[in-house]
Amino acid sequence: MGEVVVEHRGDAVAVVRINRPEARNALNTAVRTALAEHFLALAAAEAVRVIVLAGDPEAFAAGADIKEMAEAGAAEMMLRRTHLLWRAIAQCPKPVIAAVAGLALGGGCELAMHADIIVAGESAQFGQPEVRVGIMPGAGGTQRLARAVGKYKAMLMLLTGRPVDARTAEAMGLVSQVVPDADVLPAALDLAATIAAMPPLAVQQIKEVMLAGMDAPLDTALMLERKAFQLLFDTRDQKEGMRAFVERRRPSYEGR
Ligand code: CO8
């Protein structure tokens, strides 16, 4: 089995699972390259509407691979161009649900924050411990974390390197939903199936507008929203959804 495994389910949901348990799913170059390739392929796969990203019960991912970076210089790190690999995940147009069991540390926490929804097991831990090994987050930890939880909680995590448990993360706004450990993947799959049954173009517009709008002035963001809202009236799924409501039947969405 490879270090990243993709399972296609019958309900338009794909599960991308990091499978490097001996290293607590540390994100080495091979894993990150495979993740990027799979995300690009899944973004283009018409049959896939939602992606669930998971690790194993011990670790979602314990960070970037320290052994692969320990002796590297700045130019070498630059030449690895890992931001292009992260971008493939960040720019995925389809909803991504992170199913976090166990550790989500450093690059693992940053990876979870690339998702649109985070489902965590009760004993999951989230942290940005980079400062303890002499560096800082390099894949969005200082930015996505601050946007998710605000300056003061983010600084606490970033400057001390101390992890927070799942309930604390949920209270801070870093986690969407906490469930018993054994239910992490089933709960994520359940959410994924619910979203996969929604009209895909509307779902993708919601994701695109919300993410782009969060970084734009309010007037611009509201204009983006309005344009996307209007655009959806040219989709067959809008007609299907509204006619089904009027005719009191269940809609069937085809992504057109
Ligand atoms: N990198 C490499 N190997 C790791 C990592 C890691 N991040 N985490 C665990 N491993 C390895 C261990 O070295 C060990 O290997 P071995 O058996 O060969 O000695 C194996 O996994 C199991 O680890 P432990 O024996 O330590 O298992 P424990 O359950 O006792 O502890 C911990 C698990 C708490 C996860 C512990 O291993 C740990 O603290 N790991 C480091 C966590 C960390 O500091 N993460 C941040 C890394 S830096 C980072 O993520 C920067 C992100 C920047 C993104 C942009 C990149 C270009």
Side-chain angles (χ1 to χ4, degrees), residues 22-24 26 32 62-67 69 77 82 86 103 105-107 110 129-130 133 135-139:
E22 71 285 358
R24 301 289 183 269
R32 270 181 283 175
D65 191 308
I66 296 173
K67 293 166 189 168
M69 301 184 290
M77 290 301 284
T82 50
W86 291 103
L103 304 163
L105 300 178
E110 292 172 306
E130 288 90 342
V133 291
I135 57 166
M136 62 178 284

PDB file of all heavy atoms in Angstrom, residues 22-24 26 32 62-67 69 77 82 86 103 105-107 110 129-130 133 135-139, ligand 1:
ATOM      1  N   GLU A  22       4.378   4.575  10.746  1.00  0.00           N
ATOM      2  CA  GLU A  22       5.652   4.420  11.458  1.00  0.00           C
ATOM      3  C   GLU A  22       6.307   5.772  11.743  1.00  0.00           C
ATOM      4  O   GLU A  22       7.178   5.878  12.605  1.00  0.00           O
ATOM      5  CB  GLU A  22       6.604   3.484  10.679  1.00  0.00           C
ATOM      6  CG  GLU A  22       7.192   4.044   9.383  1.00  0.00           C
ATOM      7  CD  GLU A  22       6.218   4.098   8.199  1.00  0.00           C
ATOM      8  OE1 GLU A  22       5.056   3.667   8.342  1.00  0.00           O
ATOM      9  OE2 GLU A  22       6.629   4.587   7.131  1.00  0.00           O
ATOM     10  N   ALA A  23       5.914   6.812  11.019  1.00  0.00           N
ATOM     11  CA  ALA A  23       6.462   8.159  11.244  1.00  0.00           C
ATOM     12  C   ALA A  23       5.352   9.112  11.677  1.00  0.00           C
ATOM     13  O   ALA A  23       5.467  10.331  11.502  1.00  0.00           O
ATOM     14  CB  ALA A  23       7.160   8.675   9.988  1.00  0.00           C
ATOM     15  N   ARG A  24       4.289   8.570  12.280  1.00  0.00           N
ATOM     16  CA  ARG A  24       3.147   9.384  12.731  1.00  0.00           C
ATOM     17  C   ARG A  24       2.612  10.262  11.583  1.00  0.00           C
ATOM     18  O   ARG A  24       2.222  11.402  11.775  1.00  0.00           O
ATOM     19  CB  ARG A  24       3.536  10.270  13.927  1.00  0.00           C
ATOM     20  CG  ARG A  24       4.043   9.512  15.144  1.00  0.00           C
ATOM     21  CD  ARG A  24       2.921   8.747  15.840  1.00  0.00           C
ATOM     22  NE  ARG A  24       3.401   8.070  17.041  1.00  0.00           N
ATOM     23  CZ  ARG A  24       3.879   6.816  17.058  1.00  0.00           C
ATOM     24  NH1 ARG A  24       3.937   6.107  15.941  1.00  0.00           N
ATOM     25  NH2 ARG A  24       4.287   6.283  18.191  1.00  0.00           N
ATOM     26  N   ALA A  26       4.131  11.775   9.325  1.00  0.00           N
ATOM     27  CA  ALA A  26       4.906  12.990   9.013  1.00  0.00           C
ATOM     28  C   ALA A  26       4.914  13.200   7.500  1.00  0.00           C
ATOM     29  O   ALA A  26       5.013  12.257   6.708  1.00  0.00           O
ATOM     30  CB  ALA A  26       6.328  12.850   9.544  1.00  0.00           C
ATOM     31  N   ARG A  32       3.712  14.568   0.431  1.00  0.00           N
ATOM     32  CA  ARG A  32       3.130  15.839  -0.029  1.00  0.00           C
ATOM     33  C   ARG A  32       2.929  15.846  -1.548  1.00  0.00           C
ATOM     34  O   ARG A  32       1.943  16.370  -2.057  1.00  0.00           O
ATOM     35  CB  ARG A  32       4.004  17.011   0.405  1.00  0.00           C
ATOM     36  CG  ARG A  32       3.559  17.500   1.786  1.00  0.00           C
ATOM     37  CD  ARG A  32       4.363  18.656   2.242  1.00  0.00           C
ATOM     38  NE  ARG A  32       5.669  18.200   2.697  1.00  0.00           N
ATOM     39  CZ  ARG A  32       6.635  19.015   3.074  1.00  0.00           C
ATOM     40  NH1 ARG A  32       6.460  20.307   3.021  1.00  0.00           N
ATOM     41  NH2 ARG A  32       7.770  18.532   3.521  1.00  0.00           N
ATOM     42  N   ALA A  62       1.852  14.324  12.065  1.00  0.00           N
ATOM     43  CA  ALA A  62       2.646  14.958  13.126  1.00  0.00           C
ATOM     44  C   ALA A  62       3.591  16.015  12.578  1.00  0.00           C
ATOM     45  O   ALA A  62       4.626  16.300  13.178  1.00  0.00           O
ATOM     46  CB  ALA A  62       3.424  13.902  13.904  1.00  0.00           C
ATOM     47  N   GLY A  63       3.232  16.590  11.430  1.00  0.00           N
ATOM     48  CA  GLY A  63       4.025  17.709  10.934  1.00  0.00           C
ATOM     49  C   GLY A  63       4.813  17.385   9.690  1.00  0.00           C
ATOM     50  O   GLY A  63       4.752  16.266   9.163  1.00  0.00           O
ATOM     51  N   ALA A  64       5.528  18.388   9.210  1.00  0.00           N
ATOM     52  CA  ALA A  64       6.474  18.141   8.125  1.00  0.00           C
ATOM     53  C   ALA A  64       7.530  17.185   8.655  1.00  0.00           C
ATOM     54  O   ALA A  64       7.732  17.079   9.871  1.00  0.00           O
ATOM     55  CB  ALA A  64       7.099  19.456   7.685  1.00  0.00           C
ATOM     56  N   ASP A  65       8.198  16.473   7.746  1.00  0.00           N
ATOM     57  CA  ASP A  65       9.190  15.481   8.171  1.00  0.00           C
ATOM     58  C   ASP A  65      10.468  16.195   8.618  1.00  0.00           C
ATOM     59  O   ASP A  65      11.212  16.734   7.796  1.00  0.00           O
ATOM     60  CB  ASP A  65       9.474  14.504   7.023  1.00  0.00           C
ATOM     61  CG  ASP A  65      10.271  13.318   7.510  1.00  0.00           C
ATOM     62  OD1 ASP A  65      11.328  13.527   8.152  1.00  0.00           O
ATOM     63  OD2 ASP A  65       9.843  12.178   7.272  1.00  0.00           O
ATOM     64  N   ILE A  66      10.698  16.190   9.921  1.00  0.00           N
ATOM     65  CA  ILE A  66      11.841  16.915  10.484  1.00  0.00           C
ATOM     66  C   ILE A  66      13.161  16.338   9.966  1.00  0.00           C
ATOM     67  O   ILE A  66      14.112  17.076   9.684  1.00  0.00           O
ATOM     68  CB  ILE A  66      11.800  16.872  12.029  1.00  0.00           C
ATOM     69  CG1 ILE A  66      10.558  17.621  12.534  1.00  0.00           C
ATOM     70  CG2 ILE A  66      13.063  17.476  12.636  1.00  0.00           C
ATOM     71  CD1 ILE A  66      10.322  17.511  14.042  1.00  0.00           C
ATOM     72  N   LYS A  67      13.193  15.015   9.806  1.00  0.00           N
ATOM     73  CA  LYS A  67      14.441  14.370   9.366  1.00  0.00           C
ATOM     74  C   LYS A  67      14.825  14.812   7.960  1.00  0.00           C
ATOM     75  O   LYS A  67      16.002  14.845   7.605  1.00  0.00           O
ATOM     76  CB  LYS A  67      14.294  12.845   9.430  1.00  0.00           C
ATOM     77  CG  LYS A  67      14.152  12.321  10.865  1.00  0.00           C
ATOM     78  CD  LYS A  67      13.676  10.890  10.909  1.00  0.00           C
ATOM     79  CE  LYS A  67      13.346  10.505  12.344  1.00  0.00           C
ATOM     80  NZ  LYS A  67      12.623   9.232  12.454  1.00  0.00           N
ATOM     81  N   MET A  69      14.311  17.783   6.832  1.00  0.00           N
ATOM     82  CA  MET A  69      14.616  19.225   6.790  1.00  0.00           C
ATOM     83  C   MET A  69      15.813  19.602   7.643  1.00  0.00           C
ATOM     84  O   MET A  69      16.348  20.697   7.513  1.00  0.00           O
ATOM     85  CB  MET A  69      13.437  20.053   7.350  1.00  0.00           C
ATOM     86  CG  MET A  69      12.133  19.897   6.656  1.00  0.00           C
ATOM     87  SD  MET A  69      10.897  21.024   7.352  1.00  0.00           S
ATOM     88  CE  MET A  69      10.617  20.313   8.945  1.00  0.00           C
ATOM     89  N   MET A  77      15.564  24.735   0.683  1.00  0.00           N
ATOM     90  CA  MET A  77      14.144  24.751   1.064  1.00  0.00           C
ATOM     91  C   MET A  77      13.318  25.497   0.009  1.00  0.00           C
ATOM     92  O   MET A  77      12.213  25.090  -0.330  1.00  0.00           O
ATOM     93  CB  MET A  77      13.960  25.409   2.440  1.00  0.00           C
ATOM     94  CG  MET A  77      14.493  24.582   3.595  1.00  0.00           C
ATOM     95  SD  MET A  77      13.723  22.944   3.726  1.00  0.00           S
ATOM     96  CE  MET A  77      12.122  23.357   4.417  1.00  0.00           C
ATOM     97  N   THR A  82       7.633  23.694  -2.112  1.00  0.00           N
ATOM     98  CA  THR A  82       6.520  22.948  -1.520  1.00  0.00           C
ATOM     99  C   THR A  82       5.212  23.748  -1.512  1.00  0.00           C
ATOM    100  O   THR A  82       4.136  23.167  -1.392  1.00  0.00           O
ATOM    101  CB  THR A  82       6.852  22.494  -0.086  1.00  0.00           C
ATOM    102  OG1 THR A  82       7.331  23.619   0.633  1.00  0.00           O
ATOM    103  CG2 THR A  82       7.875  21.404  -0.066  1.00  0.00           C
ATOM    104  N   TRP A  86       1.197  22.466  -1.603  1.00  0.00           N
ATOM    105  CA  TRP A  86       0.102  22.895  -0.719  1.00  0.00           C
ATOM    106  C   TRP A  86      -1.007  23.555  -1.516  1.00  0.00           C
ATOM    107  O   TRP A  86      -2.193  23.418  -1.218  1.00  0.00           O
ATOM    108  CB  TRP A  86       0.625  23.873   0.339  1.00  0.00           C
ATOM    109  CG  TRP A  86       1.530  23.263   1.369  1.00  0.00           C
ATOM    110  CD1 TRP A  86       2.892  23.378   1.417  1.00  0.00           C
ATOM    111  CD2 TRP A  86       1.150  22.466   2.500  1.00  0.00           C
ATOM    112  NE1 TRP A  86       3.377  22.693   2.502  1.00  0.00           N
ATOM    113  CE2 TRP A  86       2.335  22.130   3.184  1.00  0.00           C
ATOM    114  CE3 TRP A  86      -0.065  22.011   2.983  1.00  0.00           C
ATOM    115  CZ2 TRP A  86       2.333  21.359   4.337  1.00  0.00           C
ATOM    116  CZ3 TRP A  86      -0.078  21.236   4.135  1.00  0.00           C
ATOM    117  CH2 TRP A  86       1.109  20.907   4.798  1.00  0.00           C
ATOM    118  N   LEU A 103      -2.949  13.056  16.462  1.00  0.00           N
ATOM    119  CA  LEU A 103      -2.143  14.283  16.404  1.00  0.00           C
ATOM    120  C   LEU A 103      -2.296  15.050  15.095  1.00  0.00           C
ATOM    121  O   LEU A 103      -2.209  14.464  14.016  1.00  0.00           O
ATOM    122  CB  LEU A 103      -0.660  13.912  16.560  1.00  0.00           C
ATOM    123  CG  LEU A 103      -0.310  13.122  17.824  1.00  0.00           C
ATOM    124  CD1 LEU A 103       1.063  12.469  17.679  1.00  0.00           C
ATOM    125  CD2 LEU A 103      -0.338  14.066  19.024  1.00  0.00           C
ATOM    126  N   LEU A 105      -0.187  18.095  14.212  1.00  0.00           N
ATOM    127  CA  LEU A 105       0.853  19.008  14.699  1.00  0.00           C
ATOM    128  C   LEU A 105       1.609  19.645  13.536  1.00  0.00           C
ATOM    129  O   LEU A 105       1.833  18.993  12.508  1.00  0.00           O
ATOM    130  CB  LEU A 105       1.857  18.248  15.577  1.00  0.00           C
ATOM    131  CG  LEU A 105       1.295  17.560  16.826  1.00  0.00           C
ATOM    132  CD1 LEU A 105       2.416  16.809  17.549  1.00  0.00           C
ATOM    133  CD2 LEU A 105       0.648  18.580  17.761  1.00  0.00           C
ATOM    134  N   GLY A 106       2.033  20.871  13.732  1.00  0.00           N
ATOM    135  CA  GLY A 106       2.858  21.547  12.727  1.00  0.00           C
ATOM    136  C   GLY A 106       2.184  21.515  11.364  1.00  0.00           C
ATOM    137  O   GLY A 106       1.026  21.929  11.208  1.00  0.00           O
ATOM    138  N   GLY A 107       2.909  20.978  10.372  1.00  0.00           N
ATOM    139  CA  GLY A 107       2.336  20.864   9.027  1.00  0.00           C
ATOM    140  C   GLY A 107       1.054  20.037   9.022  1.00  0.00           C
ATOM    141  O   GLY A 107       0.216  20.198   8.126  1.00  0.00           O
ATOM    142  N   GLU A 110      -1.567  22.461   9.919  1.00  0.00           N
ATOM    143  CA  GLU A 110      -1.729  23.324   8.745  1.00  0.00           C
ATOM    144  C   GLU A 110      -2.495  22.598   7.638  1.00  0.00           C
ATOM    145  O   GLU A 110      -3.321  23.189   6.946  1.00  0.00           O
ATOM    146  CB  GLU A 110      -0.350  23.780   8.242  1.00  0.00           C
ATOM    147  CG  GLU A 110       0.329  24.734   9.226  1.00  0.00           C
ATOM    148  CD  GLU A 110       1.767  25.051   8.853  1.00  0.00           C
ATOM    149  OE1 GLU A 110       2.552  24.088   8.673  1.00  0.00           O
ATOM    150  OE2 GLU A 110       2.108  26.237   8.739  1.00  0.00           O
ATOM    151  N   PRO A 129       4.000  23.231  16.931  1.00  0.00           N
ATOM    152  CA  PRO A 129       5.191  23.158  17.782  1.00  0.00           C
ATOM    153  C   PRO A 129       6.497  23.534  17.078  1.00  0.00           C
ATOM    154  O   PRO A 129       7.573  23.310  17.625  1.00  0.00           O
ATOM    155  CB  PRO A 129       5.215  21.674  18.179  1.00  0.00           C
ATOM    156  CG  PRO A 129       4.637  20.974  16.996  1.00  0.00           C
ATOM    157  CD  PRO A 129       3.631  21.910  16.391  1.00  0.00           C
ATOM    158  N   GLU A 130       6.399  24.139  15.884  1.00  0.00           N
ATOM    159  CA  GLU A 130       7.614  24.422  15.106  1.00  0.00           C
ATOM    160  C   GLU A 130       8.655  25.190  15.908  1.00  0.00           C
ATOM    161  O   GLU A 130       9.851  24.969  15.800  1.00  0.00           O
ATOM    162  CB  GLU A 130       7.262  25.213  13.836  1.00  0.00           C
ATOM    163  CG  GLU A 130       6.551  24.411  12.765  1.00  0.00           C
ATOM    164  CD  GLU A 130       5.036  24.427  12.897  1.00  0.00           C
ATOM    165  OE1 GLU A 130       4.521  24.761  13.987  1.00  0.00           O
ATOM    166  OE2 GLU A 130       4.376  24.104  11.900  1.00  0.00           O
ATOM    167  N   VAL A 133      11.470  23.460  17.589  1.00  0.00           N
ATOM    168  CA  VAL A 133      12.603  22.911  16.836  1.00  0.00           C
ATOM    169  C   VAL A 133      13.308  24.010  16.038  1.00  0.00           C
ATOM    170  O   VAL A 133      14.005  23.740  15.055  1.00  0.00           O
ATOM    171  CB  VAL A 133      12.193  21.725  15.927  1.00  0.00           C
ATOM    172  CG1 VAL A 133      11.810  20.517  16.762  1.00  0.00           C
ATOM    173  CG2 VAL A 133      11.056  22.104  14.968  1.00  0.00           C
ATOM    174  N   ILE A 135      12.157  26.628  14.277  1.00  0.00           N
ATOM    175  CA  ILE A 135      11.605  27.283  13.077  1.00  0.00           C
ATOM    176  C   ILE A 135      10.230  27.883  13.400  1.00  0.00           C
ATOM    177  O   ILE A 135       9.913  28.137  14.559  1.00  0.00           O
ATOM    178  CB  ILE A 135      11.534  26.313  11.867  1.00  0.00           C
ATOM    179  CG1 ILE A 135      10.708  25.069  12.203  1.00  0.00           C
ATOM    180  CG2 ILE A 135      12.934  25.955  11.402  1.00  0.00           C
ATOM    181  CD1 ILE A 135      10.320  24.238  10.987  1.00  0.00           C
ATOM    182  N   MET A 136       9.464  28.090  12.384  1.00  0.00           N
ATOM    183  CA  MET A 136       8.104  28.618  12.530  1.00  0.00           C
ATOM    184  C   MET A 136       7.226  27.910  11.507  1.00  0.00           C
ATOM    185  O   MET A 136       7.751  27.247  10.606  1.00  0.00           O
ATOM    186  CB  MET A 136       8.089  30.132  12.310  1.00  0.00           C
ATOM    187  CG  MET A 136       8.540  30.536  10.921  1.00  0.00           C
ATOM    188  SD  MET A 136       8.472  32.313  10.641  1.00  0.00           S
ATOM    189  CE  MET A 136       6.704  32.552  10.406  1.00  0.00           C
ATOM    190  N   PRO A 137       5.914  28.041  11.628  1.00  0.00           N
ATOM    191  CA  PRO A 137       5.058  27.410  10.617  1.00  0.00           C
ATOM    192  C   PRO A 137       5.364  27.970   9.232  1.00  0.00           C
ATOM    193  O   PRO A 137       5.681  29.154   9.089  1.00  0.00           O
ATOM    194  CB  PRO A 137       3.639  27.801  11.060  1.00  0.00           C
ATOM    195  CG  PRO A 137       3.765  28.072  12.521  1.00  0.00           C
ATOM    196  CD  PRO A 137       5.118  28.692  12.694  1.00  0.00           C
ATOM    197  N   GLY A 138       5.255  27.104   8.216  1.00  0.00           N
ATOM    198  CA  GLY A 138       5.582  27.557   6.858  1.00  0.00           C
ATOM    199  C   GLY A 138       4.500  27.233   5.845  1.00  0.00           C
ATOM    200  O   GLY A 138       4.696  27.425   4.645  1.00  0.00           O
ATOM    201  N   ALA A 139       3.363  26.724   6.318  1.00  0.00           N
ATOM    202  CA  ALA A 139       2.296  26.372   5.364  1.00  0.00           C
ATOM    203  C   ALA A 139       0.966  26.945   5.844  1.00  0.00           C
ATOM    204  O   ALA A 139      -0.074  26.294   5.758  1.00  0.00           O
ATOM    205  CB  ALA A 139       2.214  24.857   5.189  1.00  0.00           C
TER     206      ALA A 139
HETATM  207  N1  CO8 B   1       9.109  14.286  11.338  1.00  0.00           N
HETATM  208  C1  CO8 B   1       9.811  13.159  11.197  1.00  0.00           C
HETATM  209  N2  CO8 B   1       9.606  12.049  11.941  1.00  0.00           N
HETATM  210  C2  CO8 B   1       8.651  12.105  12.881  1.00  0.00           C
HETATM  211  C3  CO8 B   1       7.878  13.252  13.086  1.00  0.00           C
HETATM  212  C4  CO8 B   1       8.128  14.391  12.262  1.00  0.00           C
HETATM  213  N3  CO8 B   1       7.421  15.522  12.350  1.00  0.00           N
HETATM  214  N4  CO8 B   1       7.013  12.999  14.095  1.00  0.00           N
HETATM  215  C5  CO8 B   1       7.246  11.743  14.491  1.00  0.00           C
HETATM  216  N5  CO8 B   1       8.232  11.197  13.756  1.00  0.00           N
HETATM  217  C6  CO8 B   1       8.811   9.866  13.875  1.00  0.00           C
HETATM  218  C7  CO8 B   1       9.742   9.750  15.052  1.00  0.00           C
HETATM  219  O1  CO8 B   1      11.009  10.253  14.746  1.00  0.00           O
HETATM  220  C8  CO8 B   1       9.743   8.265  15.294  1.00  0.00           C
HETATM  221  O2  CO8 B   1      10.592   7.660  14.326  1.00  0.00           O
HETATM  222  P1  CO8 B   1      11.647   6.519  14.804  1.00  0.00           P
HETATM  223  O3  CO8 B   1      10.769   5.366  15.249  1.00  0.00           O
HETATM  224  O4  CO8 B   1      12.400   6.244  13.554  1.00  0.00           O
HETATM  225  O5  CO8 B   1      12.454   7.110  15.917  1.00  0.00           O
HETATM  226  C9  CO8 B   1       8.303   7.862  14.942  1.00  0.00           C
HETATM  227  O6  CO8 B   1       7.775   8.917  14.128  1.00  0.00           O
HETATM  228  C10 CO8 B   1       7.413   7.752  16.142  1.00  0.00           C
HETATM  229  O7  CO8 B   1       7.564   8.939  16.902  1.00  0.00           O
HETATM  230  P2  CO8 B   1       7.762   8.934  18.495  1.00  0.00           P
HETATM  231  O8  CO8 B   1       8.529   7.724  18.910  1.00  0.00           O
HETATM  232  O9  CO8 B   1       8.281  10.252  18.887  1.00  0.00           O
HETATM  233  O10 CO8 B   1       6.228   8.715  18.924  1.00  0.00           O
HETATM  234  P3  CO8 B   1       5.461   9.329  20.166  1.00  0.00           P
HETATM  235  O11 CO8 B   1       4.068   8.784  20.061  1.00  0.00           O
HETATM  236  O12 CO8 B   1       6.215   9.114  21.423  1.00  0.00           O
HETATM  237  O13 CO8 B   1       5.429  10.923  19.897  1.00  0.00           O
HETATM  238  C11 CO8 B   1       5.027  12.917  18.628  1.00  0.00           C
HETATM  239  C12 CO8 B   1       4.735  11.422  18.792  1.00  0.00           C
HETATM  240  C13 CO8 B   1       4.448  13.695  19.815  1.00  0.00           C
HETATM  241  C14 CO8 B   1       4.326  13.350  17.354  1.00  0.00           C
HETATM  242  C15 CO8 B   1       6.536  13.182  18.529  1.00  0.00           C
HETATM  243  O14 CO8 B   1       7.079  12.284  17.583  1.00  0.00           O
HETATM  244  C16 CO8 B   1       6.852  14.577  18.080  1.00  0.00           C
HETATM  245  O15 CO8 B   1       6.915  15.479  18.896  1.00  0.00           O
HETATM  246  N6  CO8 B   1       7.083  14.759  16.751  1.00  0.00           N
HETATM  247  C17 CO8 B   1       7.436  16.045  16.213  1.00  0.00           C
HETATM  248  C18 CO8 B   1       6.245  16.964  16.131  1.00  0.00           C
HETATM  249  C19 CO8 B   1       6.666  18.288  15.529  1.00  0.00           C
HETATM  250  O16 CO8 B   1       7.523  18.980  16.014  1.00  0.00           O
HETATM  251  N7  CO8 B   1       6.014  18.644  14.385  1.00  0.00           N
HETATM  252  C20 CO8 B   1       6.329  19.858  13.691  1.00  0.00           C
HETATM  253  C21 CO8 B   1       7.349  19.559  12.670  1.00  0.00           C
HETATM  254  S1  CO8 B   1       7.946  21.023  11.840  1.00  0.00           S
HETATM  255  C22 CO8 B   1       6.713  21.401  10.766  1.00  0.00           C
HETATM  256  O17 CO8 B   1       5.697  20.753  10.677  1.00  0.00           O
HETATM  257  C23 CO8 B   1       6.955  22.584   9.887  1.00  0.00           C
HETATM  258  C24 CO8 B   1       5.816  22.785   8.919  1.00  0.00           C
HETATM  259  C25 CO8 B   1       6.247  23.679   7.844  1.00  0.00           C
HETATM  260  C26 CO8 B   1       5.420  23.386   6.572  1.00  0.00           C
HETATM  261  C27 CO8 B   1       6.115  23.777   5.342  1.00  0.00           C
HETATM  262  C28 CO8 B   1       7.177  22.766   4.987  1.00  0.00           C
HETATM  263  C29 CO8 B   1       8.016  23.094   3.870  1.00  0.00           C
END
